[in-house]
């Protein structure tokens, strides 16, 4: 037995989060072919299924919808689900209650937040700064928001943001963690720089929420959006969320003023009056089935410290990089994820010439990560259910595949 296997066993035995693994539906080595590792390292794309979700969804479908039908809007709490579930997400991103509403997709929420940010910035500010390395949809939405508001779009890298800000800057859209490389950007420092320029900042938390502390309230973030199907394990297509800092809520002017965000949603008035608080981030009828599946998924976070999750995340990614160095032939792969903890999210991206073929063969062997064109192997580490034994096996199989 190799020294790395022994160390993995000791690390798993000492892991304070190890018991949470039983709350998820996961393959085990015995479920796989004899030579397969059964390791899921793609939670940064789609989180694993929490074991409590199927039973909850069955209740929602059979009893709440099937038996109670329309009564469930009141009796089953459907109507208040967006803000109730938002309050479950709030502590995971460092926000007090009453500032997050769940609903719509990340793309729709980016659009709402960015247009509202420009409107809050006021006259004379006609430039939107966007992360040039962003996930493509954020860039598309930023371009559309710029055209709609009469702004100029200025793509720059996060490192260039402070130097790009000026009197014309209205809003800045940034990613907390780079989806391709796993680089963690400086949310406190960049937020402060945007505020010093008199602009409004919008953060995309898709690759950080549920993996590391965010500190929205602590750092004075204005607006933030995020998905719930990655580290929050809400399921495919689960609704996203929108954070509006409490001090800005009365100024939040949504470009999508739907009936669900009206002060009197059942008044059916022809004129629009925004609801108070974070509720004005709602638009139309919530996606109840996926929303309540998300609510059940979030139960795994009861009593879990996001600081403990971060500590394990860093330990997992450190150990993975060590195992890769031990098992993979020198020069075969190159990490593009920062080594410094303060610059690393919860994933490791490895550059590899034949990455597409390598990932296909890894998946055939039971090690599931993903491929990003043209040459990146991407591995996500979800501390709630990934163990150190998983990490060692994944690196060992990677070494065998690339050799």
């Amino acid at each position: 037995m190799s020294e790395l296997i022994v160390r993995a066993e000791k690390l798993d035995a000492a892991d304070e989060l190890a018991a949470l693994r039983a709350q998820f539906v996961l393959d085990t080595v015995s479920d796989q072919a004899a030579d397969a590792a059964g390791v899921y390292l793609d939670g940064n794309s789609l989180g694993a299924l929490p074991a409590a979700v199927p039973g909850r969804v069955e209740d929602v479908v059979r009893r709440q919808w099937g038996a109670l039908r329309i009564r469930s809007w009141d009796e089953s709490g459907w109507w208040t689900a967006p803000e109730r579930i938002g309050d479950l997400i709030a502590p995971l991103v460092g926000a007090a209650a009453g500032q997050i509403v769940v609903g719509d997709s990340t793309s729709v929420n980016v659009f709402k937040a960015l247009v509202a940010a420009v409107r809050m910035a006021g006259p004379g500010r006609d430039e939107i700064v966007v992360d040039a390395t962003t996930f493509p949809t954020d860039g598309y939405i930023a371009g559309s928001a710029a055209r709609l508001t009469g702004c100029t779009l200025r793509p720059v890298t996060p490192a260039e943001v402070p130097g790009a800000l000026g009197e014309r800057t209205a809003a800045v859209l940034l990613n907390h963690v780079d989806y391709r490389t796993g680089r963690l950007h400086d949310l406190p420092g960049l937020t402060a720089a945007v505020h010093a320029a008199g602009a409004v900042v919008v953060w995309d938390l898709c690759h950080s929420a549920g993996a590391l502390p965010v500190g929205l309230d602590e750092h004075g973030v204005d607006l933030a959006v995020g998905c719930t199907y990655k580290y929050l394990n809400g399921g495919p297509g689960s609704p996203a969320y929108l954070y509006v800092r409490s001090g800005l809520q009365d100024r939040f002017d949504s470009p999508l003023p739907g009936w669900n965000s009206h002060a009197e949603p059942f008044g059916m008035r022809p004129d629009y009056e925004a609801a108070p608080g974070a509720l004005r981030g709602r638009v139309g009828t919530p996606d109840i089935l996926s929303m309540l599946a998300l609510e059940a998924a979030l139960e795994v976070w009861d009593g879990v410290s996001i600081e403990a999750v971060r500590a394990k995340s860093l330990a997992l990614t450190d150990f993975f990089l060590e195992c890769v160095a031990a098992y993979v032939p020198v020069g075969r792969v190159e990490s593009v994820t920062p080594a410094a903890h303060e610059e690393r999210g919860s994933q490791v991206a490895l550059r590899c010439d034949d990455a597409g073929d390598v990932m296909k063969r890894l998946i055939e062997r039971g090690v599931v990560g993903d491929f990003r064109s043209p040459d990146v192997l991407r591995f996500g580490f979800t501390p709630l259910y990934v163990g150190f034994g998983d990490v060692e096996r994944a690196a060992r199989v990677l070494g065998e595949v690339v050799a």
Side-chain angles (χ1 to χ4, degrees), residues 99-163:
Q99 299 177 99
I100 294 179
V101 65
V102 174
D104 305 311
S105 67
T106 305
S107 300
V108 172
N109 283 319
V110 168
F111 178 75
K112 287 187 284 188
L114 200 51
V115 173
V118 172
R119 291 174 175 175
M120 280 190 274
R125 292 183 176 269
D126 59 357
E127 184 176 81
I128 295 174
V129 174
V130 63
D131 179 354
T133 62
T134 188
F135 187 76
T137 290
D138 282 18
Y140 306 155
I141 295 293
S144 178
R147 293 192 299 273
L148 180 70
T149 58
C151 286
T152 300
L153 185 67
R154 187 175 183 184
V156 301
T157 66
E160 296 170 329
V161 166

Side-chain angles (χ1 to χ4, degrees), residues 42-59:
D42 209 8
N44 54 328
S45 282
L46 178 64
L49 171 67
V53 170
R56 183 69 55 80
V57 170
E58 182 176 14
D59 177 72

Side-chain angles (χ1 to χ4, degrees), residues 168-230:
R168 291 182 52 196
T169 309
V172 181
L173 173 61
L174 295 167
N175 287 265
H176 197 190
V177 174
D178 186 296
Y179 80 99
R180 182 178 281 109
T181 67
R183 176 179 289 276
L184 173 64
H185 296 303
D186 181 10
L187 182 145
L190 289 171
T191 297
V194 173
H195 287 168
V200 180
V201 70
V202 180
W203 282 95
D204 183 329
L205 309 178
C206 284
H207 287 269
S208 58
L212 53 92
V214 176
L216 292 179
D217 287 355
E218 176 186 357
H219 302 301
V221 169
D222 301 313
L223 305 166
V225 302
C227 66
T228 61
Y229 48 79
K230 300 182 190 297

Side-chain angles (χ1 to χ4, degrees), residues 302-355:
D302 290 349
V304 176
S305 159
I306 194 66
E307 287 74 21
V309 168
R310 175 59 168 167
K312 182 178 176 182
S313 165
L314 292 172
L316 288 169
T317 49
D318 279 345
F319 190 54
F320 181 69
L321 289 169
E322 181 182 349
C323 291
V324 167
Y327 290 133
V328 177
V330 175
R332 192 65 175 84
V333 301
E334 173 195 3
S335 176
V336 296
T337 300
H341 285 183
E342 64 271 19
E343 298 177 0
R344 188 194 309 166
S346 198
Q347 71 179 54
V348 172
L350 302 176
R351 182 168 287 126
C352 178
D353 289 340
D354 50 345

